[in-house]
Amino acid sequence: MNQVAAPVLFEELTAANGRRIGIATLASEKTLHAISLEMVSLLTPQLQRWQADPDVAMVLLQAQGEKAFCAGGDLQQLYRSMREHHASPEREDIRANHYAAEFFEQEYRLDYLIHSFAKPILCWGHGIVMGGGIGLMAGCSHRVVTEKSRLAMPEITIGLYPDVGGSWFLARMPGKTGVFLALTGANLNANDALFAGLADYRVAQSAKQSVIDALLQQPWGQGRDAELLDRVLAAAQGASVQEGAAVFAPSNLRTHYDQIEALCRQPSLPEIVDGILALQTDDPWLTKAMATLRAGSPGSAWLGYALQKRVRPLSLAEVFRLEFVVSLHCAARPDFVEGIRALIIEKDQKPQWNPASLGAATPEWVEGFFADPWSPDQHPLADLAA
């Protein structure tokens, strides 16, 4: 009987001084390592064990293959659970979709664990890093992008919003770039990721093994493990540039920063959207961003915009608790399931959004996504640190 391979593989490498490096490898290449509940259930306890083990100096989070680190969330089972929930007598109760509640709770717990991890975590973000993949990467203490890295938060295309802490890190990007990215799902290259604060180092993919070799020679365990990792990555970044090991395209986000600022500092979302869609440009990056916004869910645009305003005074734990409620409302309403149907299940590329326009979404409609059915002490993520 063929044994089904685990979607995450774990190993440990022993450094020259006896300390160990934990390595977690996403291993579902067919799905571009789309994060599933099974993957989360494997990653979380292993990271907790490594965090508690005094002989483990650091963790490397990576993926098999050359195409992707993680292309988002595994939406197939989520789609089925939403269909069942919408057809049930309990469709008005966001808590009744038990699969969605478990999926988002466990995914957000894992993301929060990574953000608050007590040891250095190096994420090697090679290839496609989207949605839930950025959720894994964003909280790592050390984040590497390569010449092939392509990052995005394209949830507007499936009727969701930039979750997995996206409300928090998009709101902290330079100027109003986070608003632009939430609305357009624009692709980011390595230099974009550095500019936006989603990555810390750009290193040629061909240098990865030499980075690992250098890590194994470090004198771990003297209270400066993060500094040692920084030095290795800084050296690899410098070598990648000096030796011409890779060509890193210029940052589109930096190039168009002033234009994005002028557009996204308009006083209302409809004015921002109208301004973006009225751009006269033949720039391919901007043109693609405009097309994504035009085809995307108006409800998702409102949510992404409203959340970035709402989360500014909140802690990261509070943001995850808020996103959990909003995500379950998305699962209970029509756009999320319709977006997955049109883009992933039936692939007709013709989602019927509801509301169909920004103007059709009232303030009361938007506010409904924040209605929390739990008291603060009963919230499923109540135990996350404040």
Side-chain angles (χ1 to χ4, degrees):
M1 181 181 291
N2 291 332
Q3 188 173 1
V4 178
V8 187
L9 305 177
F10 302 106
E11 63 178 316
E12 295 179 358
L13 301 179
T14 303
N17 73 342
R19 296 298 174 106
R20 304 196 310 280
I21 295 173
I23 300 180
T25 304
L26 306 186
S28 183
E29 286 190 69
K30 277 190 174 181
T31 67
L32 299 180
H33 311 294
I35 190 160
S36 64
L37 201 49
E38 184 184 4
M39 293 168 77
V40 173
S41 69
L42 292 170
L43 278 164
T44 298
Q46 184 60 60
L47 287 178
Q48 290 170 333
R49 284 191 287 271
W50 280 334
Q51 182 170 237
D53 188 335
D55 290 327
V56 172
M58 61 158 287
V59 172
L60 168 60
L61 182 57
Q62 61 177 11
Q64 288 180 344
E66 294 295 315
K67 289 185 178 180
F69 166 66
C70 173
D74 183 354
L75 301 175
Q76 301 283 344
Q77 179 59 36
L78 198 54
Y79 174 78
R80 289 190 287 271
S81 75
M82 288 191 288
R83 290 287 301 271
E84 292 169 4
H85 180 223
H86 292 186
S88 77
E90 298 178 296
R91 60 184 175 274
E92 300 299 325
D93 185 355
I94 65 170
R95 297 166 296 184
N97 186 335
H98 301 296
Y99 178 84
E102 183 180 11
F103 180 86
F104 288 119
E105 178 185 347
Q106 298 308 323
E107 183 183 21
Y108 295 176
R109 283 187 179 279
L110 172 60
D111 293 336
Y112 187 80
L113 171 63
I114 292 172
H115 275 276
S116 57
F117 205 69
K119 297 177 180 182
I121 302 187
L122 165 58
C123 179
W124 197 272
H126 178 61
I128 298 168
V129 190
M130 292 187 179
I134 293 187
L136 294 176
M137 184 176 179
C140 291
S141 62
H142 296 69
R143 302 159 300 178
V144 166
V145 282
T146 74
E147 69 277 16
K148 296 291 187 181
S149 294
R150 294 293 178 268
L151 289 75
M153 294 294 286
E155 287 81 2
I156 193 169
T157 64
I158 56 167
L160 190 58
Y161 68 96
D163 67 325
V164 294
S167 307
W168 189 83
F169 57 73
L170 286 170
R172 284 159 175 76
M173 287 182 179
K176 292 295 184 180
T177 53
V179 172
F180 181 81
L181 295 177
L183 295 175
T184 64
N187 284 335
L188 304 178
N189 60 32
N191 279 317
D192 287 324
L194 291 174
F195 179 69
L198 285 176
D200 305 297
Y201 296 94
R202 55 174 197 177
V203 179
Q205 173 67 3
S206 61
K208 184 179 180 183
Q209 188 56 52
S210 65
V211 167
I212 294 173
D213 292 343
L215 293 176
L216 293 174
Q217 299 305 313
Q218 299 307 305
W220 302 108
Q222 300 179 24
R224 55 190 186 96
D225 290 346
E227 177 188 330
L228 294 174
L229 179 51
D230 274 315
R231 292 186 185 281
V232 169
L233 295 175
Q237 176 173 260
S240 294
V241 175
Q242 293 166 9
E243 298 169 9
V247 175
F248 290 90
S251 167
N252 290 301
L253 209 53
R254 186 188 289 272
T255 298
H256 299 294
Y257 179 79
D258 290 343
Q259 193 171 21
I260 290 170
E261 280 295 281
L263 290 166
C264 295
R265 286 199 179 275
Q266 294 300 311
S268 73
L269 178 63
E271 290 169 283
I272 293 171
V273 170
D274 287 346
I276 295 173
L277 295 182
L279 282 173
Q280 300 295 314
T281 180
D282 56 4
D283 180 274
W285 185 76
L286 285 175
T287 301
K288 186 174 181 182
M290 293 165 63
T292 300
L293 172 57
R294 185 174 286 111
S297 160
S300 294
W302 270 116
L303 275 181
Y305 180 73
L307 273 160
Q308 286 190 48
K309 285 180 170 294
R310 193 173 285 241
V311 303
R312 289 192 176 276
L314 303 183
S315 69
L316 180 60
E318 290 169 329
V319 170
F320 275 117
R321 283 191 280 270
L322 178 63
E323 287 189 352
F324 178 75
V325 171
V326 175
S327 294
L328 287 185
H329 277 290
C330 287
R333 298 198 188 196
D335 270 11
F336 190 19
V337 72
E338 171 64 5
I340 297 174
R341 179 206 65 77
L343 274 75
I344 297 171
I345 306 298
E346 297 178 11
K347 301 181 180 179
D348 61 21
Q349 311 297 316
K350 296 178 180 179
Q352 301 298 309
W353 302 124
N354 181 17
S357 67
L358 288 178
T362 65
E364 293 76 20
W365 180 89
V366 177
E367 194 63 27
F369 283 86
F370 300 102
D372 189 342
W374 291 280
S375 61
D377 60 327
Q378 295 298 316
H379 191 289
L381 296 177
D383 59 324
L384 295 188

